Amino acid sequence: MIDNPRLELLLAKQGRTITIALLAVGLLAIGATGWAVANPETTTAPQFGEERVAVDADTSAVVTESGTLWTEGEELTDSSVYFLNATPELTVEPRTTLRNETSGTPIGDGAVTHELRLRFEAKREGTPFWNETHQVLRESPAVDNGVATSQTTIDLESYRQRQRQLEREISGVGSVDLEMVLRVEYETDRHQGTLTSTTPVTITEDAYWLEGSLSDSASNSHRSGTVRTTESRSPALVGGLSVLGTLSLAGAAIVARRSPTDVEGARRAVHEQRYAEWISRGSIPMWIGDYHVSLDTLEDVVDVAIDTNERVVHDTQRGLFAVVNDGVVYYYSDRGLWEETAWPEMDLEKQPDVIDGDRDLSTEEILELDPSDEFAAPDDPDGFEDDEDVWKQL
């Protein structure tokens, strides 16, 4: 039935349990396959929106005195340098932009406050020890299409004079620097915050300029909702469950069909394989040996063979394993004692029906009986002529 005796023994002992386990695994796997197909995978992920706030400032100056370079009334915009004689006043125009980056649309319902300051700072060896601040702008302009703009004009000549005065007072001790600070407060439906930008301002006897730009920006994220995504289950998962279910059910059918029911026979087959080098097939006559010792297991017979350096003879007709040593037969048989192994096993259910000799035979039964030639003469097809010849034949 099964080539491996150990596997045969395992199936004989645990075949029912293995079959039930395989059936359970197969049914669960098939059920899981159906569930996976009928229930696609749904994932949810938070959705985020982003708002961006950007601050910048434009500078401009109107020429008040005609000269070689410009004429009176001309406006200079975002120039890298301005001359004090021609353009003594500088106009600074802070601009804040509010934008919804997620939808790409401006934010029209925000609030913005612009604050512009000029600050003097006295330093010694790069370390500030005094400062003076002048606020030149504080305004909360309306937000139009996401943009808020303010404007202020600064008399740079007055600041040049104040800077020279401070330099004379700390002469030999340190230096006085001037810087422009733009501070912007903003608020939307979802975010609020502050942006600050600073740039040094250089003023000489003839000109002035800004060392850098008054620009800054910030991005703010917020959760705007949840994204739900539905996808079919992984084909590998569905295929794997389907294959597992099919193989498990097929394995259960095979195990149920091929599992041996004779546990002792399976165990004996394992022992035969294990001790094959000590066992030889042969025929053991009933009259051999003076004494017959029945052992409990085949292993015991093999132990005797090892101890006596003899061979175990397996008589398959009698179902007997025996070792003969000094007139003593050590044997093991699942049929019972020594005498019980003398007769072959017979299946009485397969024996032919016995005809009752006391009842009358029907015509059909008589025709089915084979005529016997036992009492016919070998050379005479008509049989013997008299009873004496019959008795002589007997």
Side-chain angles (χ1 to χ4, degrees):
M1 181 181 298
I2 300 174
D3 294 336
N4 192 327
R6 294 182 182 275
L7 179 58
E8 183 177 358
L9 177 60
L10 174 64
L11 294 181
K13 296 170 62 177
Q14 304 293 336
R16 180 180 178 84
T17 302
I18 294 174
T19 301
I20 294 175
L22 288 175
L23 281 174
V25 172
L27 293 176
L28 288 175
I30 295 298
T33 302
W35 179 89
V37 173
N39 296 273
E41 186 176 9
T42 301
T43 58
T44 58
Q47 186 177 20
F48 292 92
E50 183 178 347
E51 293 181 350
R52 180 177 175 81
V53 181
V55 178
D56 200 356
D58 295 331
T59 61
S60 63
V62 178
V63 178
T64 60
E65 182 179 340
S66 298
T68 305
L69 301 178
W70 301 283
T71 60
E72 184 179 353
E74 186 177 353
E75 183 178 10
L76 306 180
T77 303
D78 293 329
S79 178
S80 60
V81 62
Y82 296 93
F83 287 87
L84 281 173
N85 292 334
T87 54
E89 294 182 346
L90 178 68
T91 299
V92 181
E93 187 176 328
R95 181 178 62 256
T96 301
T97 302
L98 304 177
R99 183 176 178 82
N100 188 328
E101 292 294 323
T102 303
S103 61
T105 58
I107 300 174
D109 55 352
V112 175
T113 299
H114 292 151
E115 182 178 280
L116 188 64
R117 297 178 181 181
L118 284 171
R119 182 173 62 190
F120 292 103
E121 191 171 63
K123 298 179 181 179
R124 174 177 172 78
E125 296 180 353
T127 302
F129 63 88
W130 177 87
N131 65 77
E132 179 182 271
T133 302
H134 301 263
Q135 181 174 293
V136 296
L137 172 67
R138 183 172 177 82
E139 183 179 353
S140 299
V143 178
D144 183 14
N145 197 28
V147 179
T149 304
S150 300
Q151 183 176 302
T152 185
T153 300
I154 306 170
D155 182 5
L156 265 298
E157 175 62 29
S158 64
Y159 283 94
R160 184 188 70 83
Q161 294 175 4
R162 177 57 177 166
Q163 187 176 19
R164 296 299 178 266
Q165 180 185 0
L166 294 174
E167 289 175 346
R168 287 193 298 270
E169 290 182 4
I170 65 171
S171 177
V173 176
S175 61
V176 178
D177 297 331
L178 177 63
E179 59 185 11
M180 186 177 293
V181 181
L182 175 61
R183 186 174 183 271
V184 179
E185 298 176 0
Y186 65 90
E187 182 177 358
T188 65
D189 290 341
R190 297 183 179 276
H191 303 284
Q192 62 180 5
T194 302
L195 294 177
T196 302
S197 179
T198 303
T199 179
V201 179
T202 301
I203 305 177
T204 66
E205 296 297 331
D206 301 319
Y208 61 90
W209 60 86
L210 303 183
E211 298 285 351
S213 63
L214 293 172
S215 61
D216 195 7
S217 63
S219 296
N220 302 292
S221 298
H222 59 274
R223 182 167 179 172
S224 59
T226 302
V227 178
R228 185 181 299 272
T229 304
T230 301
E231 297 179 354
S232 300
R233 300 283 176 175
S234 170
L237 174 62
V238 176
L241 289 175
S242 178
V243 171
L244 176 61
T246 303
L247 292 180
S248 298
L249 294 178
I254 293 173
V255 171
R257 181 167 54 88
R258 300 192 60 183
S259 294
T261 58
D262 186 1
V263 178
E264 290 301 324
R267 183 178 288 109
R268 185 173 63 251
V270 172
H271 292 164
E272 289 184 35
Q273 183 187 52
R274 180 183 303 172
Y275 305 117
E277 59 178 318
W278 293 92
I279 300 176
S280 299
R281 294 182 181 272
S283 178
I284 304 175
M286 276 293 298
W287 55 83
I288 192 172
D290 299 327
Y291 302 96
H292 302 88
V293 180
S294 176
L295 301 180
D296 293 335
T297 64
L298 173 58
E299 294 178 277
D300 295 332
V301 177
V302 174
D303 289 340
V304 172
I306 294 174
D307 294 340
T308 59
N309 198 24
E310 298 286 352
R311 300 286 299 176
V312 177
V313 178
H314 180 199
D315 190 332
T316 56
Q317 185 176 2
R318 296 174 60 184
L320 184 70
F321 296 87
V323 175
V324 181
N325 182 56
D326 293 336
V328 180
V329 179
Y330 301 89
Y331 71 93
Y332 163 75
S333 175
D334 54 4
R335 297 187 188 178
L337 298 177
W338 178 265
E339 295 78 6
E340 297 173 352
T341 65
W343 307 101
E345 292 182 328
M346 301 179 64
D347 188 356
L348 298 179
E349 295 181 357
K350 297 182 180 179
Q351 299 299 317
D353 295 335
V354 179
I355 299 177
D356 187 358
D358 295 333
R359 68 180 179 86
D360 296 333
L361 298 178
S362 64
T363 305
E364 290 78 4
E365 292 176 334
I366 294 174
L367 293 175
E368 290 177 357
L369 293 176
D370 294 334
S372 175
D373 296 336
E374 184 177 359
F375 299 103
D379 298 328
D380 186 359
D382 297 329
F384 297 98
E385 296 180 355
D386 52 29
D387 293 341
E388 184 178 356
D389 294 333
V390 173
W391 285 111
K392 289 180 179 181
Q393 178 68 25
L394 293 176

